[in-house]
Structure formats: structure tokens, C-alpha cells
């Protein structure tokens, strides 16, 4: 196994950490939702895409702070275990990804509402 790692390391292959960094960088550069959807289709199985979408939906509902976990489960069919996991990361997750994404989404919605209002 060590021999294989040495050959891979010497071949210019990326480490898993570097590959993840590169993936994050390319996702940040894609500004077209259709292009991102195509990449996700290539990278993920349908069930993985569904799981990502479910978690994002749960995060948005939790961010509204008007639904109980049980209500979110009834609305979405997502397990309460997953809802609890999303809530834990949303409230204090070390990466802060949900909060960052929700802030970006809310900022975009605010900007669109301002533009629509100004055009009227």
C-alpha cells in the first residue's frame, strides 16, 4: 500500500484534501445554476443528490424558525435524525456552511426584491 502511495505521490496526483479544495474552487467559479446541476449530476448518484437537496430544504425550513422538527418531518419526509443533524450544524457547525449559504441566498433575495421594487 505504501508503494502505491509513493507512486501516486510521485505522479503528480492530487491528495484527497487537494481534490476537495479544487472541487470547492470550481463550484465557487460556476455562476450558472444549470452548470452546477450538470456537475452534480456527474459527481453524485441520484440518491446523493436527493440527500443534498433534502438537507438544504431542511436547513431553509429550520432557518425560518417557525417549524418543529416533527412538522418538518411531516412536510418533507426527511428523518428526524437528519433534521437534528442539520439543526446541529446550522446552530453551531464548525464549518459554518449552512449559515454562509443561507446568508448568500437571503442577500440575493433581498437584492432581487430591491431591484423589482426600484423598477416599478
Amino acid at each position: 500500500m505504501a508503494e502505491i502511495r509513493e507512486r501516486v505521490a510521485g505522479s503528480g496526483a492530487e491528495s484527497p484534501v487537494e481534490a476537495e479544495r479544487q472541487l470547492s474552487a470550481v463550484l465557487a467559479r460556476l455562476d450558472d445554476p444549470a452548470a452546477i446541476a450538470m456537475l452534480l449530476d456527474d459527481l453524485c448518484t441520484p440518491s446523493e443528490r436527493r440527500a443534498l437537496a433534502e438537507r438544504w430544504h431542511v436547513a431553509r425550513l429550520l432557518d425560518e424558525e417557525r417549524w418543529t422538527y416533527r412538522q418538518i418531518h411531516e412536510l418533507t419526509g426527511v428523518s428526524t435524525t437528519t433534521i437534528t443533524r442539520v439543526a446541529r450544524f446550522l446552530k453551531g457547525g464548525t464549518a459554518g456552511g449552512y449559515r454562509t449559504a443561507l446568508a448568500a441566498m437571503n442577500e440575493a433575495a433581498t437584492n432581487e426584491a430591491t431591484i423589482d421594487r426600484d423598477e416599478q
Side-chain angles (χ1 to χ4, degrees), residues 1-113:
M1 188 60 114
E3 180 183 320
I4 293 171
R5 279 193 214 113
E6 287 176 25
R7 269 192 278 150
V8 168
S11 71
E14 297 175 341
S15 71
V17 171
E18 178 60 18
E20 187 175 334
R21 191 189 71 70
Q22 288 288 327
L23 177 59
S24 296
V26 77
L27 285 169
R29 287 187 193 109
L30 293 174
D31 60 357
D32 177 19
I36 294 169
M38 290 185 322
L39 178 58
L40 289 174
D41 280 340
D42 290 344
L43 288 171
C44 302
T45 65
S47 63
E48 289 168 335
R49 291 244 358 226
R50 220 173 3 266
L52 290 171
E54 286 174 350
R55 290 177 190 150
W56 179 241
H57 188 193
V58 167
R60 292 185 350 255
L61 291 172
L62 287 167
D63 189 52
E64 291 177 12
E65 297 182 342
R66 62 182 250 202
W67 308 101
T68 66
Y69 291 9
R70 178 68 47 206
Q71 289 170 324
I72 292 172
H73 166 71
E74 291 171 5
L75 284 167
T76 64
V78 174
S79 73
T80 54
T81 302
T82 296
I83 294 166
T84 302
R85 185 180 308 121
V86 171
R88 185 175 63 243
F89 281 102
L90 190 59
K91 290 178 184 170
T94 56
Y98 283 120
R99 280 280 158 230
T100 301
L102 287 164
M105 185 187 75
N106 292 335
E107 180 181 339
T110 300
N111 290 342
E112 288 174 16

